[in-house]
Amino acid sequence: MTCRAVVIGVGHYLPERVVPNSELESILDTTDEWIRARSGIEQRYFAAEGETTSSMAAAAAREALRSANLVGDDIDAIILATSTADLTFPSAATMVQSAINMTHGFSFDIQAVCAGFVYALSNANALIVSGQAQRILVIGSETFSKIIDPSDRSTYVLFGDGAGALILERQEGHGTSADRGILSVDLHSDGRLRDLLYVDGGVSTQTTGYLRMQGHQVFRHAIEKLADTAVNALTKAKLSSYDVDWIVPHQANIRIIQGTARKLDLPMDKVVVTVQDHGNTSAASIPLALSVGVSRGQIEQGHVLVAEAIGGGLAWGSVVLRW
């Protein structure tokens, strides 16, 4: 028998404030048509005053716990993927641990920008397979509205806030691609490309800074690298694109999503798309899309999913799992 990390619960949270493209027309030299044509985004959500990455993460975590009929103390570990933690330290994950009344185990943040949730899933899978945890709460949560420059229309129109969470549980499988759970992981990074997407502030500068992006270069790398990592992960799982029920991509840009699907020879009706409603929520985008896909009735037990993402670093990767 083989140990697998199986999804048993999922949930998400979005702030109350909806920011449609029409609102941005009044503060930027842009139009709804321009934003839709270049990104596919129609609206995004911005966190309220006092609403934080950890508070949104805790709300998503509670939804995931409810869906699995569990409570905080049923969880052994929390891994929270974020680039916008509330404080330099302690981790936002420990704040979630307290908020859900989890009184044992361990919690930590992981930072790989938009690829963070894929990295978090990889770490959670390793902890479960190695026997260090029975159940792990994996969360992606971001307040990117705090680090986007309101004078830069090329980035300000793209990003939003939100959180998504899922619960992985150790279960026995047969060691084949027919097992439920995470079947393979493929991770990469290349620090030589760090200047393509970064924030120009941090602890060493004693400033928060703003997100800076070379959009055309990121676009070019994204389609190539996302398709390659998806193929690598499917090969490791002894599957092919023909076995895939759903691609659940990082929701950055509809043109990147479409380009990646074409490279994988998969139709768009096999892609979970939420970018039009949420914008780019960085590490939160994949768990948000998973939760929405389940609530829509798209993702069902037994389906083969490929979750793929690329972000600053550049860091990228994918996970193949059977729901």
Side-chain angles (χ1 to χ4, degrees):
M1 302 293 282
T2 299
C3 173
R4 297 291 193 189
V6 177
V7 178
I8 61 167
V10 65
H12 70 274
Y13 172 82
L14 291 163
E16 288 188 13
R17 184 186 171 195
V18 181
V19 182
N21 291 344
S22 58
E23 181 176 328
L24 301 185
E25 288 179 328
S26 65
I27 60 173
L28 291 167
D29 179 20
T30 192
T31 64
D32 172 63
E33 181 182 8
W34 188 89
I35 297 168
R36 289 179 189 239
R38 285 157 181 78
S39 67
I41 298 168
E42 300 173 14
Q43 64 176 38
R44 72 286 294 146
Y45 293 77
F46 282 179
E49 187 72 28
E51 195 165 39
T52 65
T53 291
S54 68
S55 67
M56 293 194 304
R62 293 186 190 100
E63 287 297 315
L65 288 166
R66 274 193 284 270
S67 76
N69 197 28
L70 298 173
V71 297
D73 263 344
D74 294 320
I75 302 298
D76 302 309
I78 299 172
I79 304 176
L80 199 166
T82 188
S83 298
T84 54
D86 304 11
L87 303 172
T88 301
F89 66 84
S91 70
T94 57
M95 299 176 188
V96 175
Q97 183 179 16
S98 173
I100 65 171
N101 297 314
M102 175 184 156
T103 59
H104 69 287
F106 57 95
S107 304
F108 62 93
D109 291 353
I110 195 164
Q111 209 275 57
V113 200
C114 299
F117 192 75
V118 170
Y119 275 59
L121 284 178
S122 175
N123 276 263
N125 181 60
L127 288 167
I128 286 175
V129 169
S130 65
Q132 296 183 71
Q134 175 71 20
R135 294 191 190 99
I136 300 181
L137 180 59
V138 189
I139 309 169
S141 184
E142 301 280 20
T143 46
F144 259 53
S145 63
K146 311 296 185 183
I147 58 168
I148 45 177
D149 184 348
S151 67
D152 180 6
R153 76 166 184 170
S154 67
T155 57
Y156 196 77
V157 302
L158 300 179
F159 292 90
D161 303 334
L166 58 77
I167 298 170
L168 294 174
E169 180 180 77
R170 178 186 175 97
Q171 295 184 12
E172 295 299 323
H174 297 283
T176 72
S177 59
D179 290 347
R180 288 185 63 207
I182 292 177
L183 302 177
S184 66
V185 175
D186 186 65
L187 300 179
H188 302 270
S189 66
D190 187 343
R192 296 172 298 178
L193 303 173
R194 62 189 179 276
D195 290 339
L196 301 187
L197 178 55
Y198 66 99
V199 169
D200 59 2
V203 173
S204 62
T205 64
Q206 296 188 326
T207 63
T208 302
Y210 284 130
L211 183 148
R212 306 301 180 192
M213 179 171 67
Q214 297 181 37
H216 293 299
Q217 289 296 320
V218 172
F219 182 91
R220 180 175 64 84
H221 282 284
I223 293 176
E224 175 189 349
K225 288 176 168 54
L226 288 174
D228 286 348
T229 187
V231 170
N232 289 344
L234 285 166
T235 301
K236 291 178 183 180
K238 298 182 172 56
L239 295 170
S240 74
S241 59
Y242 300 107
D243 299 303
V244 175
D245 294 293
W246 295 104
I247 303 175
V248 188
H250 168 47
Q251 307 287 319
N253 183 305
I254 190 62
R255 294 186 298 150
I256 292 174
I257 294 170
Q258 291 167 338
T260 304
R262 282 194 298 271
K263 274 190 166 286
L264 293 172
D265 197 26
L266 286 168
M268 284 299 293
D269 61 8
K270 285 196 169 188
V271 184
V272 176
V273 181
T274 61
V275 67
Q276 69 280 358
D277 298 322
H278 306 149
N280 184 344
T281 56
S282 189
S285 76
I286 287 177
L288 260 171
L290 287 169
S291 183
V292 170
V294 170
S295 66
R296 287 175 180 169
Q298 293 174 297
I299 299 171
E300 299 177 354
Q301 185 169 315
H303 281 176
V304 173
L305 278 58
V306 179
E308 57 183 15
I310 186 168
L314 291 178
W316 67 98
S318 58
V319 172
V320 175
L321 69 152
R322 188 178 294 276
W323 200 257

